[in-house]
Amino acid sequence: MREVLAEDAGQRRGIKIHPDEVVVSPGGKPNLFFPTLALIESGDEVIYPNPGFPTYEAMIKVADGVPVAIPLVEENGFSFDLEAFDKLVNERTKLIILNSPSNPTGGVIPAADLEHIASQIERYDCWVMSDELYTRIVYDGLEAPSIATLPEMRERTIIVDGFSKTYAMTGWRLGFGIMPKELAARIDLLLTHSIGSTAHFTQIAGIEAVTGPQEMVNVMVSEYQLRRNVIVDGLNTIPGFTCQKPQGAFYAFPNITGTGMDSTELANLILEKAGVALLPGNPFGGYGEGYLRLSYANSIENIEKGIERIRTVLI
Ligand code: PLP
């Protein structure tokens, strides 16, 4: 499994990966959590995206690190606010977490921003965790570059990837991390003494997924792109909503400040009155307030029905 992943993940990113640098885990999450536990000492600062995947803040706190939220700004296609980043990064920064394409915003960090972030990582001698779970779900011919491809970054980067999104294998619990082999050996130890190992039959399925035909991944990404267009166009017809076109992942993240309601109040109202389940932006961090997160991993028919029902509640 590690040989297959080293070959495939390396070839997709244009970097050379040795199987000893690959850590297989039950889902991507253990490869977020255990490297954080391994690297963070009490009081170390960790910069993480906000709004962002809620696991980041939780795992920083478990490791007794200091969570430092970096705002993702809508005007920038939800990339980092680099000015804010420059003010927050310092000698106490031990780890920087990136997630591109992002959950919940669908934003992709452009290569120029990655170069800027990489120069600060080198200057302050920190680690970077690049959550690339959605790397293959990108639209309009765009690519989501990996910071690991930049000079001097490989030896400081933990790439986290998995099967949940690319192959829709969420329930199989299969993921992997790519990191320097000394760190990989320590993470393997943490995994051995906590979860044991990743189920072998699941790994066999993973090898089949990676080495088999890949057309279905492309077919699915084209389908997601159609759904994205339908959901974004639909959301922009709802009074008080404005929605950018996300460049990746399968979430729409409309700004709902025009409704005059807060995100939790509005999400509850939509659930109760329209029977449509979505998430308020708030649980993704304070900068998520004023937004909702909608998943479009659903049929176009259901998306259209859902939009119509939300509109009926809001007009
Ligand atoms: N990272 C991000 C950004 C995610 O959205 C998710 C799942 O929603 C994960 C990591 C974890 O995925 P898994 O543990 O299923 O591989």
Side-chain angles (χ1 to χ4, degrees):
M1 179 63 160
R2 287 190 287 125
E3 278 167 16
V4 163
L5 290 173
E7 173 71 28
D8 187 70
Q11 182 246 316
R12 290 189 183 286
R13 291 168 178 85
I15 52 178
K16 189 144 181 49
I17 299 171
H18 191 276
D20 287 350
E21 295 174 301
V22 181
V23 180
V24 177
S25 55
K29 275 184 180 176
N31 260 307
L32 295 170
F33 187 66
F34 286 125
T36 306
L37 268 190
L39 293 172
I40 299 306
E41 303 290 341
S42 182
D44 284 343
E45 293 186 5
V46 184
I47 295 182
Y48 71 103
N50 182 326
F53 191 45
T55 294
Y56 306 143
E57 190 179 336
M59 71 194 191
I60 298 164
K61 287 184 174 162
V62 171
D64 205 23
V66 179
V68 178
I70 177 93
L72 301 187
V73 279
E74 188 177 355
E75 303 74 47
N76 260 0
F78 292 107
S79 185
F80 268 29
D81 177 341
L82 291 178
E83 257 176 56
F85 174 68
D86 287 346
K87 290 196 184 110
L88 292 174
V89 64
N90 67 74
E91 299 74 25
R92 293 182 301 280
T93 309
K94 185 69 180 280
L95 176 68
I96 293 165
I97 302 174
L98 307 177
N99 176 214
S100 174
S102 143
N103 176 9
T105 70
V108 171
I109 306 178
D113 288 10
L114 285 180
E115 276 169 29
H116 182 99
I117 295 165
S119 67
Q120 295 287 41
I121 288 170
E122 227 190 312
R123 176 166 170 209
Y124 290 106
D125 191 21
C126 17
W127 285 85
V128 59
M129 178 175 276
S130 182
D131 181 340
E132 301 179 6
L133 261 286
Y134 297 94
T135 190
R136 288 176 70 186
I137 306 178
V138 279
Y139 307 121
D140 308 320
L142 192 95
E143 284 191 13
S146 172
I147 195 160
T149 61
L150 299 181
E152 317 299 333
M153 285 299 113
R154 271 284 268 129
E155 68 250 37
R156 305 162 177 283
T157 307
I158 300 137
I159 296 175
V160 186
D161 201 344
F163 290 70
S164 291
K165 320 296 172 187
T166 309
Y167 300 104
M169 286 172 68
T170 318
W172 292 71
R173 307 313 299 138
L174 189 58
F176 58 97
I178 296 156
M179 63 199 82
K181 68 176 193 307
E182 297 76 14
L183 180 62
R186 308 308 288 177
I187 304 308
D188 252 344
L189 215 51
L190 279 168
L191 285 165
T192 300
H193 295 300
S194 55
I195 55 102
S197 74
T198 306
H200 288 182
F201 55 88
T202 312
Q203 294 193 47
I204 292 165
I207 292 172
E208 286 299 314
V210 171
T211 55
Q214 300 296 300
E215 294 95 80
M216 277 318 292
V217 176
N218 303 332
V219 167
M220 210 50 228
V221 172
S222 306
E223 174 63 25
Y224 282 140
Q225 187 169 315
L226 290 178
R227 295 175 186 180
R228 174 200 65 165
N229 295 344
V230 170
I231 199 164
V232 169
D233 288 349
L235 286 167
N236 279 318
T237 65
I238 298 174
F241 281 46
T242 55
C243 188
Q244 286 200 6
K245 232 176 215 171
Q247 297 169 309
F250 38 64
Y251 308 107
F253 201 61
N255 183 322
I256 49 90
T257 45
T259 63
M261 275 180 264
D262 72 42
S263 64
T264 308
E265 191 187 356
L266 183 57
N268 286 339
L269 178 82
I270 291 172
L271 179 63
E272 281 157 21
K273 294 266 188 305
V276 176
L278 39 72
L279 288 175
N282 199 19
F284 294 95
Y287 295 103
E289 184 46 54
Y291 298 89
L292 295 177
R293 193 202 72 168
L294 295 90
S295 162
Y296 49 90
N298 210 321
S299 66
I300 288 188
E301 192 192 346
N302 280 342
I303 290 168
E304 284 172 340
K305 213 185 284 174
I307 293 287
E308 207 34 58
R309 288 203 202 169
I310 299 172
R311 203 201 336 263
T312 314
V313 172
L314 282 163
I315 49 176

